[in-house]
Every structure is written in structure tokens, then in C-alpha cells.
Amino acid sequence: MKYQILKAWKDVTEGKGKSLLVIFALALGLWGLGSVAVSWSVLSRDLKGNFLGTSPVHAIFTLKEKDDSILDTLKARGEIESAEFRDLKMLRVEVYPDSWIPLWLFGVGDFENMALAKIVSESGAHKPSRGSILIERDGLLISALTISSVASVRNGARNIEVPVEGIVFDPALPPATQDHFIYAYTDMETFSTLSGAESGKRLIVRFRDVNSRSEVEAAVAKLMADSGSGGIANSTVEVRPFLEHPHQWQLDMLLAIIGIIGLLAFLLSSILVGQVVAALVAKQIRQIGILKAIGGTRARIAGIFSVYLLFYALISGLIAIPLAISTGYAFSYFCAGILNFNILTTSLPAEVFALLIVSALVLPFLFAFPTLIKAGRVSVREALGETPFRHRTRVTGRVVVTALATALGVAIFSSGFNLRQSLSNFLTSTGDSMRYDIQVVLTKPVPESEFLEPFESISGIERIEAWTGGRGELQTSLAGTDDGIGIVALPLDSRVMAMKMAQGHWFESASDPEVVLNQAAVELFHQPIIGQTLSVGIAGVSRQMKLVGIAEEIDRPKIYINDAFYDRWANPAHLVNTLMITARDGEYQGVMALKKEIERAVKASSLSVLDVMSQAERVKIIADHLNIILIALLLLAFLVLSVSALGMASATSITVMERTREIGVLRAIGATPRKIIKIFLMEGMATSGAGLILGLILSWPLSLAASVLFGAIMFGEGVVLRYAFSPAGFWITIAATAVFGFLASRIPAGGAIGLSTREALAYE
Amino acid sequence: MKQAELVRLNEVSLTYGSNGTRCEALRKINLSIGSGEHLAIVGKSGSGKSSLLNMITGIDHPSEGEVIVDGTTVHTMKEGPLALWRGRMAGIVFQFFQLIPTITILQNILLPMEFVGVIPKKERRERALSLLEQTGIFDHARKLPSELSGGEQQRAAIARALANDPPLIVADEPTGNLDSANAEIVLGIFRGLVDAGKTVVVVTHERNLGKEYSRVVSLKDGMIVGDEWSRP
Ligand SMILES: Nc1ncnc2c1ncn2[C@@H]1O[C@H](COP(=O)(O)OP(=O)(O)OP(=O)(O)O)[C@@H](O)[C@H]1O
Ligand SMILES: [Mg+2]
């Protein structure tokens, strides 16, 4: 045994370059695997932990009539665990001077004894005093609001100054930063004063002993059917997704992405380790032969190599495990920041440590297993035989593996570019189809002149178009909608709408009711055909309209119709609820300045505004968000590409090492150093070339899948981002692969001529 | 010396290692080899025979002294030109054959021709086949080296050394790994080469040197201790 350890140690320390390569490769795999394991362990428990810690709501009832005894009635029922009032109304708040976003105002029944949908005080007051609010911490990141500042809140036509008294944490809500909302909490009385709405009609409820959404639904149905449940019987109800954070899917996505990265790192590292170990063992074949010749058994020889692998395992484990833990935590904190929850895990479960240690010890054996088996089998004759050079088969295997790794890197890299192209096409087409700059939306329709009046004196406005709309019921034999579909009624001669049509054309008839659907609506209507007549319930009456076109739009289902028909059917007074404004100065700065001016006019007016949005800001916000994702994606892809280049470099250097003596012979018979470098360079370039072609082919389905996936993540389920091919990305991918392929073979090939001819010839 | 001088070593010394583990493999060697000589270098193991060959072929550079082969100062040459020069000037036969295992015997012979390019492209194949014919392994042209016996591999290695028709052939114990029958074949080939006007330098442990070689140089501790001419 002593000999074994000594030999192993010598092997580790002598071939320093190769040893570093093995350790690096092992550590890489372990690090990838480990950080994934750590962040999975932390994140999968902590988001749930945060969410469940709030005692999330099972169902929300909105009463038709106020009922003072309703809480007592509910609490007396055995199946109800807890019930509270939690009023909700959407107002507007000024987050920066003349910049307003929606404010979700919650009226809390009892701040002292919250039993469900609990919020946690982070700083300032636990309970706001009359007339003031607490705000959710994530909102601090998108506003100038803070403790003791006074928020300007607008409710309909009213401006109210509301002091902020404290900051709370509410991990059950979708993060404010993502949805661009401010969440605020106040008592029920203040709620009424601020919102002008009746308090005590919205009830949040948790049931006892329910294990799924369907059980909740059953309990809700039973409760509503019971005559003893007071006002609940004729309330409207919303059953929440069962015990799931609203953005759980985002976390799942992030976990899936890191899962893939971890797997890639693991794969590449196994390839690297396998190759290097194979090369190391091959170098020792002669020694194995000698050991066997002098009586070493197969087990004995496997033992020697095991000791040798154990050294690598220990060293790489010592490097990678702490690294994995810290990156795992770092990633967890990053996700927690994005999704607005707190990391609760302070110590990892024993299983995670066990997994890390076991994989550190087992991985090298797993990766080296085929080689060890081969080494054990080699016969003395073969090992000692007069075969100064090794055979080609393993070299070919290595080339294939390297080409595959390159293909993987290329595919991801090029898909990143294609996805970027898809998104930029999307942004351009949105900009092209929506030719307005600013949109002002009211909470309820008003006469056009009343709506226009406050903006008449603003000189920066070039054009204003007034639109209206409402909700309509879809009427098909196949599909029905619960709350209807958005109807947008706009002038026949609209100058701000020029949507790209997927099929057919925009409505153009002044005499016949024509309709245009967007793609999501087409989906909802079960793929109607152009020319078909659709029945749409508008204001309770079924109207027949001819489908003339399908518009390319990434949005919720929408129906576009001529406002002349809408007015005739549902809006005789021609009330409008939306203004589409184009700015004289269409540049970003000009539009933003105009928006502020409009906000000032809104503030001074009596208009009950729901929201003021600028197209530029919307596009910019989307573009900014996308850019972060895309830059991350490209970086990641670049990383994969460089790791595959690294794999190639290591493969080449192993080949060079193995063929050192051959190189010596080549030089002895007249090959110049340049020629020798050229041999390796050609091999390397051919490998990257094969990888490149394969990768580009692979990138096509990958880009397709990615555009579907990212469309769904960013714009909602079912929204498909169009696949686009990025010519720039194509050339950059080719150039990057060529450069990487060149470097990854040129540098190690340089090592081939580093030795003198004599040294090369004597190389064992 | 009736022949023109081909190789000239002036005060050549070769020292391995640094101060701690110094080893003087060659000490102030002066040697002149004429064109057409059949020279044997003998000496005990470690006496510096291989080192001396490495000086002549430029595989290694002297620590001191000059090496001049056919008017070329070998010891000052850069790797690239040196490799080309070697491919053209000196055919080397190794003790362990050192054929490239992944290509056929024929391709092994063609390789130095491709590297150096003195033989016109059209003639290469024919020349290679005729060399195989000459060394008696024509039938093995399309085999891989591993499919040949040791003696056949050594003959292939000689054929490769002759590929570019070099005036100088250098062999380090070419028969060391062969049985007497195979060794005799190899020696016969060398005799034929000398008869055809080549200069052949062989490191050997054989007996009966006088019969075989025109000149025998003996080395001891890196110095020439004997230099006998057996055939005038
Ligand atoms: N790479 C090296 N590093 C250090 N010393 C070396 C090296 N190569 C050879 N030597 C030493 O130089 C001396 C001459 O070696 P060389 O190989 O020329 O001997 P040789 O006469 O060819 O022996 P053999 O008959 O065993 O092949 C020896 O003492 C040897 O130990
Ligand atoms: Mg020797």
C-alpha cells in the first residue's frame, strides 16, 4: 500500500500540467453539480417557506352587500380556518415627480391579529395611523417613496396626500418591481376615505384540511350553497392557485436554467476527466505491463490507480465544494432579490453535504471507469510489446467528443443571437404598428370633449385620437370566456394603428360590421377562418361580424372593431375611455417630457385616470429587461463556447502529449515545426468546423424552442415569439468558433515543438 | 583520405544537465567522415555513441564546437531549415523503427518526400515502391506497421530513411532488435548502399567489424579512443 500511495503521489505531482487539467475538470463538474444542488435545496424550500409563512389565502369572496356579522358567521363554521377583511382598490401614485404608476391599496381588518395573508413589518410603524399607509418593500426600488415621505395618491379625480409610516414585506404578492405597481396597506376606515369605495366587502378565507385546489373549490361550492353562510351565498368568488406563489413558475424557470448549466458543466467535465485520465493511463500502459509481469494482479493495479484518483478527488473536492456552496447561495440570493423573498436557509441539510462529498469521491471513478477497466484488461504482451505509438481509435473518439462539445457551444451561442433577433424584431414591429406615443386610459368612459379638454393647451401634442371599448362575450359553440374579451373600438381612419397583419386586412368597410382579431383571440376562438362570421355579445346583445383579418400582436386576446358600429350598438353617446396621443417630438426625451406635461394636466383635471402609458417607455422597459436576460444568455453561451474550446485545447494537448515521440520522428525525417503545427491546426480546425456545422444545424430547433419559451416567460403563456435568424449572430458565431478553434489547437500545438527533437524522440 | 569530406566535427563537446548533475557525453571530439565511407561507431553503453550520431544529424546541438556536414554548419541552424536539411541530407534509422503506426508502410515512405519536396510529385509513388522492392518488403506496402515483423519493420524504416535519396544514412543499433537472419538482411542493404556511393554511419555492438565496415571509430567516456581503417 505504501508503494501505491507513493506512486500515486508521484504521478500526481510529476505530470503537473495533466494533473491540473484533471483537477480543473473535476472541480468544474463538481462545482456545476454542487451549486445546482445547493441552490435547488435553498430555493425550492425558501420561496415556499416565505410564501407559506404568510398563511396564504385559499379563496377571496366579494360580497354584494355589506354584512356586519359575516366574520362571526364564517368563524363559527368548522371547515373555515380563518377569515378576514382585506379590501382592495387600484389607485395611482406619484413615484417620481410627474411620474405615476398604479397603486394597489389594501384595507386590512386588524393589523394586530392577522391570521392569513400576513405581512411582516420591516421598519417604521407596524400599524399605520389613521390616514396613512405602509408600503411593500419591493416598491422602494421603483419609487422615491420611503418612510416619512408623503405619497401623492390619486383616486379617480381626487388628489390626496398620504404619509408613508412604515415598510412591510409581503412575499405572497408578485414582486412590485416586475409588475410596476406599488402595494400599500392601511386600515379599513382609511381605505374607504382614500379609495372612496365601501370597505368590508372583500373577504379572504382559508379552509381547514384542504389539500388541493379542487378540494378548495368543493369547499367554496358547499359554503356558497349553504343558506346559513350569510352574504357569501351571492358573492363573487376567486379561488387562488393552491399554495403556490404567483411567480413560482419564474423560479422554476431559473432553476431549470441553472439545472441545464449545471448539467452542461457536469457533462463537459466528465468528458475532460475521461479524456485526461485515459491519456494518463495510456501513458502508463507500459508500467502496467511491467507491474503485471512482476506479479501485480488486476485488482492490485486497479488499486494503484484508485489511490491515484483519490488524490484528485480530494484536491478537487476541497476546491469545488466551498465554491459550490458559495455560488449556490449567491444564486439563491440573486433569485430571492428578483422574486422579493428572503433566504431563510442558514445551514444546508445533511443530504446536500452528503451529495457533495459522495459526488466528489465517486465522480472521478465514474468518469475514469472505462479506462480503468481497459487498463486492467491489457495483457503483458500488449503492454510491453513493441508498439511505441498508441492507436488511433481513442483519438477519433476524442475528436468526436470535442466536435460535439463545440457543437453544443455553437448551438447555444447562435441561438442566443437568434433569440435576440426575435425580440428586436418584436420590438420594432410593436413600434411600427403602434404609432401613438402616449396613451391615457380612464376608469370609465366620458364624453370625448370632456376627455380632450385638459390637454387642449399642450403644445407638444401633434394629434389625439379618442378610442373606446369594453368587454364582449365570445359566443362560439366551442369556447366561452368568464369575463369576456377586450373590445377595442377605434375610428375607421385611425392614423395611430398600423398593425402588421398575419392574414387578411384591417377593417375598411363603413357599411358592414367587420372585425380584426389578434393572434391570442384567434386561439381563443378556436382558429376561425378569414371571411367567417363571428358572433360577439356586446352589451348583452349578440352581434354578427365578419372576420376580415388577423393581426400580429403579442398581447391578451383582443377584438378590433370600427367605433361607428360599437357606438351604434353599445355607446350611443359616443363616450370614450382612451386617448392615443402622438408627440410633436417623437424622440424618447421629447415623449417623456410630454408625458410629464400630460400627467400635470391630469392632476389638475377632474378626469378619473386609470393609467398613462408611453409607448417609448413601455418598449424601453421591455427592451431593458430583455437586454439583461439576453446579455446574461449570451454571456452564458459564450461561457459554454469557451468551455468547449477549453475541452478542445485539452484534447489537443493530450493528443500532442501522446504523439510527442511521433512528432520527434516526423522532425527527424524532415518535418519543419511549421508543418507539425499545421498538422494539429488542421485537425483542430476540422474538428471545430464539424462542430460548427452541427451546432448551426442544432441551433435551429433550439432557437425555435427558445423563442416559444421566452415568449411565454415574458409575455404570458401561449404567446409565441417569432423565430428569427440573426445574420450578424451567424457570422459572429462562425468567427468566434474559428478563433476559438484556432487558439485551442494552435496553443497546445506550440507545445508540440517546444521540446527539442532529441527530447521528443526520447519521450516515454 | 581519398574521398571528399562529408562530415566534419571540430572540438565537439556535449554536456548534459547543469552543474549539479553534469554529464559530459562528448568531450572535444574531432572527426572527419569522407563521402562513401561505411563507418561503425562502437563503445560501451553510455560511451556517447548515440550522442555523436545526434550531432551529425542535428537532432541535438553541441555545447561547444562545430558540426559541418556537406559544407553546411549544422550546429547554428534553426529548427525549421534544419528539419528540411535533415530530410534531404540524412536518412535516420532508429533502433525501435519508429514508424508512424496509423498509416501504411507505403505512406510512411511517402511522408518524408512530402515534407521535403525534392522528389517530384509524380515520381514519389514509384520511388517508394521501388525502395520497398529494394528492401524486400514490397508485398507489405499496404499494411500497417503493426502487421509487420520486427525485421520487416526495420527494413521499412530503412526504406523511409532512403526516401529522399540522402547522401548520408545514419543508423543507431539497427540490428539490435533483430535475429541474426534479419540482421544479415539489414546489413546487406547497408552494404548495397555503400556500393551505390552512399555514406553509412552505424552504431553497433556486432562482432566481426573488420569484414563489414571500412572504418571503425571507438568511443570511451565521450572521447575517441580508436579509429581503424580496415579497407584501404
Ligand atoms: N538526456 C540526457 N540527460 C542526461 N544525460 C544523458 C542524456 N542522454 C544521455 N546522457 C548521458 O550521456 C552519456 C552518453 O549517452 P549516449 O546515449 O550517447 O550513450 P550510448 O553510447 O549511445 O549508450 P548505449 O549503447 O547504451 O545506447 C551517458 O553517460 C548518458 O548517461
Ligand atoms: Mg545509444
PDB file of all heavy atoms in Angstrom, chain A residues 758, chain B residues 16 23 25 44-52 173 205, ligand 1:
ATOM      1  N   ARG A 758      15.497  15.780 -29.989  1.00  0.00           N
ATOM      2  CA  ARG A 758      16.050  14.683 -29.188  1.00  0.00           C
ATOM      3  C   ARG A 758      15.122  14.331 -28.029  1.00  0.00           C
ATOM      4  O   ARG A 758      14.808  13.172 -27.793  1.00  0.00           O
ATOM      5  CB  ARG A 758      17.432  15.077 -28.638  1.00  0.00           C
ATOM      6  CG  ARG A 758      18.080  13.980 -27.813  1.00  0.00           C
ATOM      7  CD  ARG A 758      19.393  14.436 -27.197  1.00  0.00           C
ATOM      8  NE  ARG A 758      19.235  15.632 -26.383  1.00  0.00           N
ATOM      9  CZ  ARG A 758      18.687  15.648 -25.181  1.00  0.00           C
ATOM     10  NH1 ARG A 758      18.206  14.544 -24.649  1.00  0.00           N
ATOM     11  NH2 ARG A 758      18.579  16.774 -24.508  1.00  0.00           N
TER      12      ARG A 758
ATOM     13  N   TYR B  16      25.403  17.343 -20.660  1.00  0.00           N
ATOM     14  CA  TYR B  16      24.010  17.278 -20.212  1.00  0.00           C
ATOM     15  C   TYR B  16      23.905  17.843 -18.814  1.00  0.00           C
ATOM     16  O   TYR B  16      24.839  17.724 -18.027  1.00  0.00           O
ATOM     17  CB  TYR B  16      23.515  15.831 -20.169  1.00  0.00           C
ATOM     18  CG  TYR B  16      23.246  15.235 -21.520  1.00  0.00           C
ATOM     19  CD1 TYR B  16      23.986  14.152 -21.970  1.00  0.00           C
ATOM     20  CD2 TYR B  16      22.233  15.746 -22.322  1.00  0.00           C
ATOM     21  CE1 TYR B  16      23.740  13.584 -23.205  1.00  0.00           C
ATOM     22  CE2 TYR B  16      21.975  15.184 -23.565  1.00  0.00           C
ATOM     23  CZ  TYR B  16      22.729  14.097 -24.000  1.00  0.00           C
ATOM     24  OH  TYR B  16      22.461  13.545 -25.215  1.00  0.00           O
ATOM     25  N   CYS B  23      26.992  15.899 -16.903  1.00  0.00           N
ATOM     26  CA  CYS B  23      27.429  14.660 -17.525  1.00  0.00           C
ATOM     27  C   CYS B  23      28.005  15.023 -18.877  1.00  0.00           C
ATOM     28  O   CYS B  23      27.311  15.579 -19.723  1.00  0.00           O
ATOM     29  CB  CYS B  23      26.256  13.706 -17.686  1.00  0.00           C
ATOM     30  SG  CYS B  23      26.707  12.273 -18.675  1.00  0.00           S
ATOM     31  N   ALA B  25      28.823  13.956 -22.133  1.00  0.00           N
ATOM     32  CA  ALA B  25      28.577  12.834 -23.039  1.00  0.00           C
ATOM     33  C   ALA B  25      29.628  12.779 -24.144  1.00  0.00           C
ATOM     34  O   ALA B  25      30.014  11.710 -24.578  1.00  0.00           O
ATOM     35  CB  ALA B  25      27.186  12.943 -23.634  1.00  0.00           C
ATOM     36  N   LYS B  44      31.242   1.099 -25.230  1.00  0.00           N
ATOM     37  CA  LYS B  44      30.348   0.557 -24.214  1.00  0.00           C
ATOM     38  C   LYS B  44      29.089   1.407 -24.120  1.00  0.00           C
ATOM     39  O   LYS B  44      29.054   2.532 -24.587  1.00  0.00           O
ATOM     40  CB  LYS B  44      31.077   0.565 -22.864  1.00  0.00           C
ATOM     41  CG  LYS B  44      32.043  -0.570 -22.707  1.00  0.00           C
ATOM     42  CD  LYS B  44      32.322  -0.760 -21.208  1.00  0.00           C
ATOM     43  CE  LYS B  44      33.736  -1.307 -20.997  1.00  0.00           C
ATOM     44  NZ  LYS B  44      34.500  -0.510 -20.044  1.00  0.00           N
ATOM     45  N   SER B  45      28.159   0.839 -23.449  1.00  0.00           N
ATOM     46  CA  SER B  45      26.927   1.584 -23.222  1.00  0.00           C
ATOM     47  C   SER B  45      27.234   2.843 -22.415  1.00  0.00           C
ATOM     48  O   SER B  45      27.986   2.800 -21.442  1.00  0.00           O
ATOM     49  CB  SER B  45      25.946   0.706 -22.445  1.00  0.00           C
ATOM     50  OG  SER B  45      24.748   1.408 -22.251  1.00  0.00           O
ATOM     51  N   GLY B  46      26.731   3.956 -22.879  1.00  0.00           N
ATOM     52  CA  GLY B  46      26.951   5.218 -22.156  1.00  0.00           C
ATOM     53  C   GLY B  46      28.214   5.930 -22.607  1.00  0.00           C
ATOM     54  O   GLY B  46      28.594   6.958 -22.064  1.00  0.00           O
ATOM     55  N   SER B  47      28.897   5.384 -23.632  1.00  0.00           N
ATOM     56  CA  SER B  47      30.151   5.997 -24.041  1.00  0.00           C
ATOM     57  C   SER B  47      29.931   7.220 -24.930  1.00  0.00           C
ATOM     58  O   SER B  47      30.860   7.970 -25.187  1.00  0.00           O
ATOM     59  CB  SER B  47      31.018   4.956 -24.763  1.00  0.00           C
ATOM     60  OG  SER B  47      30.291   4.416 -25.850  1.00  0.00           O
ATOM     61  N   GLY B  48      28.719   7.406 -25.421  1.00  0.00           N
ATOM     62  CA  GLY B  48      28.439   8.623 -26.194  1.00  0.00           C
ATOM     63  C   GLY B  48      28.143   8.373 -27.661  1.00  0.00           C
ATOM     64  O   GLY B  48      28.120   9.316 -28.455  1.00  0.00           O
ATOM     65  N   LYS B  49      27.856   7.115 -28.027  1.00  0.00           N
ATOM     66  CA  LYS B  49      27.628   6.780 -29.447  1.00  0.00           C
ATOM     67  C   LYS B  49      26.397   7.501 -30.010  1.00  0.00           C
ATOM     68  O   LYS B  49      26.473   8.170 -31.045  1.00  0.00           O
ATOM     69  CB  LYS B  49      27.466   5.259 -29.604  1.00  0.00           C
ATOM     70  CG  LYS B  49      28.619   4.446 -29.030  1.00  0.00           C
ATOM     71  CD  LYS B  49      28.423   2.967 -29.262  1.00  0.00           C
ATOM     72  CE  LYS B  49      27.250   2.358 -28.502  1.00  0.00           C
ATOM     73  NZ  LYS B  49      27.426   2.316 -27.035  1.00  0.00           N
ATOM     74  N   SER B  50      25.283   7.341 -29.298  1.00  0.00           N
ATOM     75  CA  SER B  50      24.051   7.975 -29.789  1.00  0.00           C
ATOM     76  C   SER B  50      24.207   9.484 -29.807  1.00  0.00           C
ATOM     77  O   SER B  50      23.733  10.163 -30.730  1.00  0.00           O
ATOM     78  CB  SER B  50      22.870   7.594 -28.899  1.00  0.00           C
ATOM     79  OG  SER B  50      22.694   6.193 -28.892  1.00  0.00           O
ATOM     80  N   SER B  51      24.878   9.999 -28.807  1.00  0.00           N
ATOM     81  CA  SER B  51      25.090  11.441 -28.756  1.00  0.00           C
ATOM     82  C   SER B  51      25.846  11.923 -29.976  1.00  0.00           C
ATOM     83  O   SER B  51      25.521  12.962 -30.560  1.00  0.00           O
ATOM     84  CB  SER B  51      25.872  11.819 -27.490  1.00  0.00           C
ATOM     85  OG  SER B  51      25.196  11.340 -26.348  1.00  0.00           O
ATOM     86  N   LEU B  52      26.839  11.137 -30.379  1.00  0.00           N
ATOM     87  CA  LEU B  52      27.645  11.514 -31.542  1.00  0.00           C
ATOM     88  C   LEU B  52      26.776  11.548 -32.803  1.00  0.00           C
ATOM     89  O   LEU B  52      26.852  12.491 -33.597  1.00  0.00           O
ATOM     90  CB  LEU B  52      28.801  10.511 -31.696  1.00  0.00           C
ATOM     91  CG  LEU B  52      29.796  10.814 -32.808  1.00  0.00           C
ATOM     92  CD1 LEU B  52      30.446  12.175 -32.570  1.00  0.00           C
ATOM     93  CD2 LEU B  52      30.856   9.727 -32.901  1.00  0.00           C
ATOM     94  N   GLU B 173      22.112   1.374 -33.781  1.00  0.00           N
ATOM     95  CA  GLU B 173      21.857  -0.044 -33.474  1.00  0.00           C
ATOM     96  C   GLU B 173      20.695  -0.598 -34.291  1.00  0.00           C
ATOM     97  O   GLU B 173      19.695  -1.034 -33.744  1.00  0.00           O
ATOM     98  CB  GLU B 173      21.579  -0.210 -31.980  1.00  0.00           C
ATOM     99  CG  GLU B 173      22.768   0.256 -31.151  1.00  0.00           C
ATOM    100  CD  GLU B 173      22.610  -0.095 -29.684  1.00  0.00           C
ATOM    101  OE1 GLU B 173      22.142  -1.210 -29.411  1.00  0.00           O
ATOM    102  OE2 GLU B 173      22.945   0.744 -28.840  1.00  0.00           O
ATOM    103  N   HIS B 205      26.935  -3.031 -31.951  1.00  0.00           N
ATOM    104  CA  HIS B 205      27.593  -3.874 -30.955  1.00  0.00           C
ATOM    105  C   HIS B 205      28.067  -5.177 -31.580  1.00  0.00           C
ATOM    106  O   HIS B 205      28.445  -6.096 -30.879  1.00  0.00           O
ATOM    107  CB  HIS B 205      26.608  -4.207 -29.811  1.00  0.00           C
ATOM    108  CG  HIS B 205      26.331  -3.048 -28.924  1.00  0.00           C
ATOM    109  ND1 HIS B 205      27.290  -2.502 -28.126  1.00  0.00           N
ATOM    110  CD2 HIS B 205      25.200  -2.336 -28.703  1.00  0.00           C
ATOM    111  CE1 HIS B 205      26.758  -1.488 -27.443  1.00  0.00           C
ATOM    112  NE2 HIS B 205      25.484  -1.378 -27.775  1.00  0.00           N
TER     113      HIS B 205
HETATM  114  N1  LIG C   1      19.042  13.292 -21.822  1.00  0.00           N
HETATM  115  C1  LIG C   1      20.150  13.052 -21.124  1.00  0.00           C
HETATM  116  N2  LIG C   1      20.352  13.690 -19.945  1.00  0.00           N
HETATM  117  C2  LIG C   1      21.467  13.446 -19.201  1.00  0.00           C
HETATM  118  N3  LIG C   1      22.404  12.619 -19.559  1.00  0.00           N
HETATM  119  C3  LIG C   1      22.275  11.928 -20.716  1.00  0.00           C
HETATM  120  C4  LIG C   1      21.143  12.105 -21.557  1.00  0.00           C
HETATM  121  N4  LIG C   1      21.251  11.319 -22.649  1.00  0.00           N
HETATM  122  C5  LIG C   1      22.427  10.655 -22.476  1.00  0.00           C
HETATM  123  N5  LIG C   1      23.022  11.019 -21.329  1.00  0.00           N
HETATM  124  C6  LIG C   1      24.292  10.550 -20.844  1.00  0.00           C
HETATM  125  O1  LIG C   1      25.262  10.834 -21.807  1.00  0.00           O
HETATM  126  C7  LIG C   1      26.178   9.732 -21.925  1.00  0.00           C
HETATM  127  C8  LIG C   1      26.197   9.250 -23.340  1.00  0.00           C
HETATM  128  O2  LIG C   1      24.932   8.725 -23.702  1.00  0.00           O
HETATM  129  P1  LIG C   1      24.621   8.029 -25.097  1.00  0.00           P
HETATM  130  O3  LIG C   1      23.164   7.818 -25.180  1.00  0.00           O
HETATM  131  O4  LIG C   1      25.281   8.819 -26.153  1.00  0.00           O
HETATM  132  O5  LIG C   1      25.371   6.620 -24.894  1.00  0.00           O
HETATM  133  P2  LIG C   1      25.441   5.403 -25.901  1.00  0.00           P
HETATM  134  O6  LIG C   1      26.865   5.202 -26.135  1.00  0.00           O
HETATM  135  O7  LIG C   1      24.562   5.608 -27.031  1.00  0.00           O
HETATM  136  O8  LIG C   1      24.909   4.201 -24.992  1.00  0.00           O
HETATM  137  P3  LIG C   1      24.051   2.908 -25.413  1.00  0.00           P
HETATM  138  O9  LIG C   1      24.971   1.965 -26.073  1.00  0.00           O
HETATM  139  O10 LIG C   1      23.561   2.384 -24.122  1.00  0.00           O
HETATM  140  O11 LIG C   1      22.945   3.398 -26.283  1.00  0.00           O
HETATM  141  C9  LIG C   1      25.709   8.670 -20.948  1.00  0.00           C
HETATM  142  O12 LIG C   1      26.513   8.751 -19.795  1.00  0.00           O
HETATM  143  C10 LIG C   1      24.297   9.050 -20.620  1.00  0.00           C
HETATM  144  O13 LIG C   1      24.040   8.721 -19.282  1.00  0.00           O
END
